[in-house]
Amino acid sequence: MKSSAEVELLRANAQATVAAFRAAAGRIDAGTTQRRVEAAVVSACLEADGQGPSFWPWSMSGPNAHLDELVRSSYSYEHLDREMRPGELVRLDIGCAGSGYGADIGRTLPVSGHFDAAQADVWDLLIEGYLAGLEVIADGVTVAEVRAASRARVRELTPSLSSDGARQAAVLLDVDAAWHLHGVGIESGEEALPVLRAGTVLAYEPMVSVGPDAFYLEDMIVVTQDGHEVLSSGLPYRAAEVDAFMARGR
């Protein structure tokens, strides 16, 4: 749980990270290396008068965006640097540090500037589940209840899914492990309280992989007396919003 002063520091870090996210997204394109996108994050965090990134940014494309490769990147001298390719997805997972506190936000972005139909079906399903979990976040709610709300929304939508990828994603999302929550504070990744209380600052980051594509999103959220506030406001959610976001940045 954070004091009101700490929440203000984390809000500032979250908004600096949103600005860094926009700068980095504008660098995503086929033929561009991941490292150049990461450099845009570092530069933007410093330009926001921060201390730099709170962890080395992940602009992990194609096969690198899958969870096992993400972990391996920490032990790679070049951070698994590679050129991004048309049709691939990028996990842009970043945070700016400031005043001794961290941040952690992200989205999945299409290298080509737009999701294809199959990718959009999976992404929008993930978003629907995420937003259902986000809606119930409030003082006194358990982490288990947040995850349960997300899973219930996915199950509700499953009969209407029309693509094989989305149906596969629905099965994979019906487990708690797909709906990851953690705290944010001095460290970008802190343990989440099992029961959320006003002043809790957390990151909600569901993820799922379907075939060659890995899907993930993450917001920073503070629990309030009346519910919650998304500290990292200003980022897109549904596939059409992501496509429009990418078009504006190019």
Side-chain angles (χ1 to χ4, degrees):
M1 295 170 61
K2 305 297 186 290
S3 68
S4 58
E6 288 177 303
V7 170
E8 288 308 308
L9 293 175
L10 288 164
R11 177 182 285 107
N13 287 356
Q15 284 303 305
T17 308
V18 169
F21 186 94
R22 293 180 181 276
R27 297 300 306 274
I28 290 175
D29 203 356
T32 301
T33 64
Q34 296 174 168
R35 183 53 55 92
R36 291 187 181 278
V37 177
E38 293 160 3
V41 174
V42 175
S43 177
C45 288
L46 292 170
E47 289 172 3
D49 294 327
Q51 296 161 311
S54 49
F55 56 92
W56 187 257
W58 269 327
S59 60
M60 307 304 285
S61 61
N64 285 353
H66 295 261
L67 187 58
D68 54 348
E69 291 299 290
L70 287 171
V71 173
R72 193 167 73 87
S73 72
S74 300
Y75 304 94
S76 163
Y77 178 75
E78 295 184 341
H79 207 236
L80 300 184
D81 193 25
R82 68 188 291 272
E83 288 189 358
M84 295 173 280
R85 299 174 183 174
E88 290 181 342
L89 302 180
V90 179
R91 177 185 175 123
L92 189 54
D93 187 351
I94 66 174
C96 294
S99 302
Y101 287 77
D104 190 7
I105 68 172
R107 290 292 188 279
T108 299
L109 299 177
V111 172
S112 300
H114 59 84
F115 291 111
D116 66 29
Q119 292 167 342
D121 284 346
V122 176
W123 177 251
D124 282 341
L125 177 65
L126 183 66
I127 291 297
E128 288 294 330
Y130 168 81
L131 292 175
L134 180 65
E135 185 176 354
V136 304
I137 290 177
D139 183 66
V141 172
T142 67
V143 166
E145 288 172 324
V146 175
R147 290 173 172 149
S150 290
R151 293 175 63 190
R153 179 58 175 158
V154 170
R155 287 196 298 271
E156 179 185 359
L157 293 172
T158 296
S160 64
L161 299 176
S162 58
S163 69
D164 290 341
R167 285 190 288 268
Q168 181 182 350
V171 173
L172 296 171
L173 288 170
D174 198 17
V175 295
D176 281 344
W179 305 95
H180 185 226
L181 295 97
H182 64 81
V184 183
I186 294 174
E187 299 292 340
S188 292
E190 299 181 342
E191 185 177 358
L193 296 172
V195 179
L196 303 177
R197 296 299 183 191
T200 300
V201 178
L202 58 96
Y204 192 17
E205 55 170 348
M207 60 191 81
V208 66
S209 292
V210 178
D213 295 324
F215 300 83
Y216 138 93
L217 76 148
E218 182 173 26
D219 280 324
M220 278 176 61
I221 303 148
V222 60
V223 181
T224 66
Q225 293 289 351
D226 300 324
H228 65 271
E229 175 192 350
V230 176
L231 299 178
S232 52
S233 59
L235 296 180
Y237 287 104
R238 293 178 175 84
E241 297 171 4
V242 173
D243 290 354
F245 174 85
M246 294 296 288
R248 288 193 298 269
R250 292 180 174 223

